[in-house]
Amino acid sequence: MSPTAFASLGPSAYWYLARGTGAVALILLTLSVILGVLGSLRFAAPPRWPRFAIDALHRDASLLVLAVLVIHIVTSVLDGFAPIKLLDSVIPFDSRYRPLWLGLGALSFDLLIALTITSLLRRRLGYGAWRAIHWLAYASWPVAVLHGLGTGSDVKVWWMLALTAACVAAVVVAVWIRIFKAQPEIAGGRPAAFVLSISALIALAAFALLGPLQRGWARRAGTPTTLLAAHATAAGPSPAGASRASAGQQRGVTAATSPVQRSFSARLTGTLTQHLVANGAILDLALRMTGGMQGRLRVRLAGAPLPGGGLSMTGSQVDLAPAGAPSVLEGRIVALQGQRFVARVSEHGRAGVELRANMSIDGGGGVLGTLSGTPQGAP
Ligand code: HEM
């Protein structure tokens, strides 16, 4: 993806990328851990893969994790919804957003960096020191699992739960195979290892059930109160889904009805920023809604500048985030005239809403305006 294309992604694209790369990083890290754990069995059981092939796969998976994590971190920061700084990705437990759970991600990342550096310096370090650090690096996996459960927006979605459960099951089975097959001389320790791993599984399941899968986890996890919905709006569901969702970003999660069920009109205040790109310009409107609807409206407009001012629109993205709603309605501008536009937004094929905005934009990029919304029924 070119830097220009990357820079022109909308806020929700960053968010989708952050979630997608989180899932991919977890899969790759799991693969790397399994290959590391089972590596010593390579000659003991079929298929008899050559040692160099397993080692190369293990190393490549680990390096790929780092590459995917860089995108995961950058998109988490660029998303801009939560106050996450680049430094939060390496300094654990200091972020304003879910410090413990984001901090576990940073810790996991730090361990992986330490692992990579020491692997590069393996000859200089000596085998003993390198191996000690390598064992420590295995800790990055459970820490990352806890991070994903504690911060992820998709934690309640079945596929993310299934993915996490499959990763955990795969590593546990690999550890059992390693313990039970590879080292007959430590047979006495097998029951203890078995009990320990079962206890860890039960503890993890209990944590998920009592923590992230419960209502109100966002608050308990340390989401800044400014991001949490105060109360459900008349039209919106309860703040129960107030995980990241509370400010309306839990797109794709389980809202049964649209957050907007009746017509409304609201005041708009905010800012307009403009970025020049290779083939035109991108305008970003970051607006706050007050009055008949509280929340945020984000509009991104791409186009070619017209002589004498204005923009010939080539693409647009509109995100309506009612306060307290568990999801954002997304859509596009369907008509644009001067500083007015009509947009249609909807939530995953459910009920759609027509938005009509009338704005006045001052020379400094300040925006004042009005917005009306009319539910259209299921599109
Ligand atoms: C080994 C390191 C890491 C792994 C394997 C990992 C993996 C994950 C996973 C699986 C999720 C859940 C995604 C979802 O629910 O859709 C997640 C969420 C998240 N991660 Fe990471 N992560 C790591 C490190 C980090 C770091 C260092 C940061 C620092 C910026 C970070 C920021 C986030 C954020 C902000 C979310 C929430 C995204 C959302 O709204 O769903 N992660 N991560």
Side-chain angles (χ1 to χ4, degrees):
M1 190 183 297
S2 77
T4 317
F6 195 73
S8 68
L9 288 174
S12 49
Y14 290 131
W15 186 54
Y16 285 121
L17 262 174
R19 290 154 61 204
T21 48
V24 174
L26 183 63
I27 295 170
L28 287 170
L29 189 58
T30 303
L31 180 70
S32 165
V33 167
I34 291 173
L35 289 169
V37 168
L38 293 182
S40 65
L41 295 179
R42 53 198 150 224
F43 298 115
R48 288 160 201 272
W49 286 14
R51 177 183 185 138
F52 74 85
I54 301 219
D55 284 351
L57 205 57
H58 173 57
R59 193 192 51 226
D60 291 351
S62 313
L63 288 175
L64 207 54
V65 174
L66 277 184
V68 171
L69 278 177
V70 169
I71 305 178
H72 180 60
I73 291 165
V74 169
T75 47
S76 297
V77 173
L78 286 180
D79 176 35
F81 167 78
I84 299 173
K85 305 185 300 295
L86 214 47
L87 269 184
D88 296 334
S89 63
V90 281
I91 301 178
F93 313 122
D94 195 38
S95 68
R96 281 181 52 217
Y97 181 73
R98 304 195 184 185
L100 175 60
W101 307 105
L102 197 71
L104 290 176
L107 186 61
S108 181
F109 186 53
D110 288 345
L111 286 169
L112 288 174
I113 292 176
L115 169 77
T116 312
I117 294 174
T118 51
S119 290
L120 290 174
L121 301 175
R122 187 172 165 174
R123 288 221 174 84
R124 288 199 196 169
L125 274 178
Y127 184 73
W130 171 80
R131 199 168 166 74
I133 293 168
H134 219 79
W135 272 110
L136 195 65
Y138 281 122
S140 71
W141 178 82
V143 170
V145 170
L146 287 174
H147 154 76
L149 286 171
T151 40
S153 302
D154 297 309
V155 70
K156 290 182 185 155
V157 183
W158 72 267
W159 61 262
M160 191 65 205
L161 264 183
L163 180 78
T164 308
C167 289
V168 172
V171 168
V172 169
V173 169
V175 170
W176 284 348
I177 294 176
R178 166 91 176 240
I179 290 171
F180 283 80
K181 273 201 159 181
Q183 299 176 357
E185 70 279 6
I186 56 157
R190 285 175 184 167
F194 190 71
V195 169
L196 201 68
S197 55
I198 294 283
S199 312
L201 277 181
I202 294 173
L204 187 66
F207 160 68
L209 286 171
L210 299 174
L213 294 177
Q214 287 293 318
R215 294 156 86 94
W217 170 249
R219 202 174 299 272
R220 285 161 59 205
T223 306
T225 41
T226 44
L227 291 183
L228 289 166
H231 293 288
T233 59
S238 78
S243 68
R244 171 183 179 115
S246 41
Q249 284 226 358
Q250 191 116 347
R251 291 160 271 200
V253 192
T254 51
T257 53
S258 164
V260 181
Q261 291 172 349
R262 55 178 91 144
S263 298
F264 68 87
S265 56
R267 280 187 302 281
L268 294 174
T269 47
T271 53
L272 168 76
T273 46
Q274 176 167 345
H275 320 273
L276 292 177
V277 290
N279 45 1
I282 291 177
L283 301 185
D284 267 315
L285 286 158
L287 303 167
R288 207 158 69 89
M289 299 182 288
T290 50
M293 173 65 77
Q294 312 277 336
R296 292 196 301 171
L297 178 70
R298 279 169 145 178
V299 180
R300 174 162 280 206
L301 235 153
L306 293 169
L311 201 73
S312 156
M313 188 174 75
T314 53
S316 66
Q317 182 180 339
V318 179
D319 291 346
L320 178 77
S327 57
V328 166
L329 291 99
E330 297 177 68
R332 314 215 162 275
I333 292 181
V334 292
L336 175 68
Q337 195 183 27
Q339 299 187 350
R340 296 169 182 212
F341 69 79
V342 180
R344 294 226 175 85
V345 291
S346 68
E347 184 206 24
H348 292 277
R350 292 196 182 101
V353 178
E354 185 175 272
L355 301 175
R356 288 177 178 273
N358 193 351
M359 297 172 298
S360 104
I361 302 169
D362 65 33
V367 181
L368 285 176
T370 55
L371 179 77
S372 63
T374 317
Q376 303 289 292

